[in-house]
Amino acid sequence: AASEKRNLSLGGHVGFDSLPDQLVSKSVTQGFCFNILCVGETGIGKSTLMNTLFNTMFENEEASHYQNGVCMRPRTYDLQESNVHLKLTIVDTVGFGDQINKEESYKPIVDYIDTQFENYLQEELKIKRSLFNYHDGRIHICLYFIAPTGHSLKSLDLVTMKKLDSKVNIIPIIAKADTISKSELHKFKIKIMSELVSNGVQIYQFPTDDDAVTEINSSMNAHLPFAVVGSIEEVKVGNKTVRARQYPWGVVQVENESHCDFVKLREMLIRVNMEDLREQTHARHYELYRRCKLEEMGFKDTDPDCEPFSLQETYEAKRKEFMGDLQKKEEEMRQMFVNKVKETEAELKEKERELHNKFEQLKHMHQEEKRKVEEKRRELEEEMNAFNRRKVAAETLSLAQPLKKDKDKKK
């Protein structure tokens, strides 16, 4: 069969065993990117932990507790260690947990993650793509900071993690773990994990399928959530200087595994599983977002008869459907326009008829007025004629009388 593979032995060295080295060389040349989302209440120690993790001082301003809402603050840095370049983006949730009404606290976080997925999807769907130099802003890991109460998770924590678990890899961490006693901390960890399980929250599990990391990842999965302490202050303990927190009663060493889980977190997050986090983000979370988006747009892999359905056929079918809808709407609009024109014509004809009737009425009134004026004129003329006749008669009479008088005198 064509699908059967034949195993052949090589007669000598060919050289494709250098392929892993070529991949490493190419990856190092291109550089890497890693994006961390820190979710936690204001003042819980997010910035301090980031500074401690990467052993540097990231620029940040302290946020007040008076934010109107939660806003996302991404900051990108270029880091270099040996010959490896890392473009690191740290996204902080400013104002998280500070509002009286916390109902919508998770929404800006979800929107930010979705926006990064959408930007990548839009780049993928372009005709002319440039993914090789595209700044990938998709969140690879969400460090969820839990307040060291020693009791149980807050409802805000459960709701937020539940909303985020299908979109991002979540590692829960107990912040400022030096404020809680060892026995309480052990109970608190068990309580947190049982609450996450009972509420169906899926957190990131360190992968155990690779033999090289199976043992360490299996043991570390049992330590979740990590109880961490952050500090970039250097304190002298014995003969060496260590990063620690100095208290009146003693020193909490950040990198001492008996004091806190900071080393475990750094090991798991950066030194062992950073590539797996990047891979999981692309292959699992982004893939889910992409699939849902394409299904919303009407694309699918099989038609109703379960036959393979090509993207081109789907596009053409959707285009045909769209053009049909467009034509139908156009026809409806045309018909609406025709009806509107007919209605307007009928209204105009009605107004024209009204105007014509009014004109006829005015014409009739005008003729009536004209006739009355003519009659009046005739009457006046007759009166004038009668008056003139009387005037002439009177004048004739007045002229005749003096002549008669004169004749009488002569006699």
Side-chain angles (χ1 to χ4, degrees):
S3 60
E4 285 179 11
K5 287 185 285 186
R6 294 168 63 199
N7 293 322
L8 299 175
S9 57
L10 305 175
H13 182 254
V14 177
F16 58 77
D17 60 350
S18 70
L19 190 54
D21 300 327
Q22 292 174 41
L23 282 171
V24 168
S25 176
K26 192 175 179 184
S27 298
V28 167
T29 307
Q30 283 180 343
F32 302 88
C33 79
F34 193 60
N35 306 320
I36 302 175
L37 169 66
C38 297
V39 181
E41 294 170 20
T42 309
I44 205 165
K46 302 187 288 293
S47 303
T48 305
L49 185 70
M50 288 299 104
N51 291 340
T52 316
L53 266 176
F54 290 94
N55 203 12
T56 187
M57 275 293 286
F58 295 114
E59 54 189 64
N60 48 45
E61 312 99 41
E62 280 188 11
S64 71
H65 287 282
Y66 307 110
Q67 302 288 331
N68 292 328
V70 179
C71 67
M72 310 302 288
R73 189 173 64 193
R75 292 224 167 106
T76 303
Y77 308 94
D78 278 312
L79 306 179
Q80 183 173 357
E81 191 172 48
S82 301
N83 64 334
V84 177
H85 287 268
L86 179 69
K87 186 180 272 189
L88 176 71
T89 301
I90 298 171
V91 186
D92 193 8
T93 51
V94 181
F96 184 77
D98 283 336
Q99 295 74 41
I100 293 170
N101 182 4
K102 300 180 176 67
E103 202 173 343
E104 296 289 302
S105 291
Y106 65 85
K107 203 171 183 308
I109 306 171
V110 172
D111 289 346
Y112 181 85
I113 295 168
D114 282 348
T115 303
Q116 305 315 309
F117 283 155
E118 184 61 31
N119 292 345
Y120 194 86
L121 179 61
Q122 289 304 321
E123 187 63 38
E124 263 195 339
L125 293 175
K126 281 182 184 175
I127 304 292
K128 193 176 179 182
R129 301 182 297 177
S130 57
L131 289 168
F132 66 94
N133 63 355
Y134 172 78
H135 175 50
D136 188 359
R138 295 174 297 172
I139 299 297
H140 299 121
I141 180 67
C142 167
L143 293 178
Y144 196 95
F145 288 71
I146 297 163
T149 58
H151 291 272
S152 60
L153 286 168
K154 296 177 182 177
S155 55
L156 175 64
D157 298 332
L158 283 170
V159 168
T160 307
M161 280 196 261
K162 186 68 184 163
K163 292 286 179 186
L164 295 179
D165 68 354
S166 63
K167 296 177 180 293
V168 68
N169 303 311
I170 299 173
I171 294 181
I173 54 178
I174 300 163
K176 298 187 174 178
D178 51 342
T179 63
I180 188 168
S181 71
K182 196 169 183 179
S183 59
E184 281 179 326
L185 183 60
H186 181 66
K187 288 175 192 169
F188 191 33
K189 282 189 177 188
I190 294 166
K191 180 78 173 166
I192 288 170
M193 291 310 287
S194 69
E195 283 188 348
L196 291 176
V197 170
S198 61
N199 286 280
V201 178
Q202 300 287 318
I203 62 166
Y204 175 71
Q205 292 291 307
F206 302 120
T208 54
D209 46 5
D210 182 358
D211 293 341
V213 292
T214 301
E215 196 178 333
I216 184 168
N217 280 352
S218 298
S219 65
M220 288 301 173
N221 278 328
H223 277 91
L224 286 170
F226 292 133
V228 296
V229 176
S231 176
I232 47 165
E233 293 174 27
E234 294 194 330
V235 177
K236 198 166 178 66
V237 177
N239 297 326
K240 56 179 182 175
T241 305
V242 294
R243 287 188 292 171
R245 294 181 72 86
Q246 178 95 52
Y247 291 109
W249 52 85
V251 174
V252 175
Q253 295 174 37
V254 168
E255 294 180 69
N256 185 331
E257 289 198 55
S258 65
H259 288 194
C260 73
D261 297 333
F262 172 78
V263 171
K264 294 185 179 74
L265 174 66
R266 186 180 61 193
E267 191 80 11
M268 289 294 93
L269 185 63
I270 297 169
R271 299 183 182 181
V272 178
N273 298 305
M274 190 184 264
E275 183 50 36
D276 185 71
L277 288 163
R278 284 156 41 89
E279 195 182 304
Q280 284 283 328
T281 299
H282 182 76
R284 186 163 151 238
H285 301 297
Y286 169 69
E287 201 58 33
L288 177 64
Y289 177 85
R290 177 182 165 278
R291 195 185 77 203
C292 292
K293 267 286 173 188
L294 291 177
E295 282 174 357
E296 273 175 33
M297 290 159 70
F299 294 106
K300 50 187 180 287
D301 291 327
T302 55
D303 63 13
D305 305 321
C306 293
E307 290 295 317
F309 210 56
S310 78
L311 192 68
Q312 188 178 345
E313 284 173 4
T314 310
Y315 168 73
E316 283 168 6
K318 291 301 290 180
R319 191 173 184 277
K320 197 174 176 183
E321 189 185 324
F322 172 74
M323 292 306 284
D325 287 347
L326 200 66
Q327 211 169 346
K328 193 179 171 186
K329 280 182 183 174
E330 203 175 318
E331 195 57 48
E332 281 173 9
M333 285 180 80
R334 192 182 286 115
Q335 193 59 45
M336 202 186 291
F337 178 72
V338 168
N339 293 342
K340 203 81 177 165
V341 166
K342 281 181 181 173
E343 280 174 27
T344 310
E345 275 181 358
E347 283 173 17
L348 285 168
K349 278 181 182 173
E350 185 63 39
K351 283 188 177 175
E352 193 181 357
R353 203 162 38 248
E354 282 175 18
L355 282 168
H356 187 69
N357 291 341
K358 203 170 184 181
F359 175 72
E360 286 295 325
Q361 200 178 346
L362 286 167
K363 192 178 169 185
H364 184 68
M365 282 169 68
H366 175 69
Q367 284 172 348
E368 189 65 32
E369 290 288 324
K370 196 177 176 182
R371 190 181 60 75
K372 284 179 182 176
V373 167
E374 283 293 321
E375 266 182 38
K376 197 81 174 165
R377 190 172 63 78
R378 274 199 304 274
E379 284 173 13
L380 285 167
E381 278 179 357
E382 282 173 14
E383 279 180 24
M384 275 175 71
N385 290 339
F387 174 74
N388 286 335
R389 280 197 297 272
R390 282 200 301 276
K391 186 182 175 187
V392 169
E395 282 175 355
T396 309
L397 190 64
S398 65
L399 284 169
Q401 277 177 351
L403 288 171
K404 200 174 179 185
K405 281 178 185 176
D406 287 346
K407 281 181 182 178
D408 289 345
K409 279 177 187 179
K410 281 177 185 179
K411 284 180 181 178

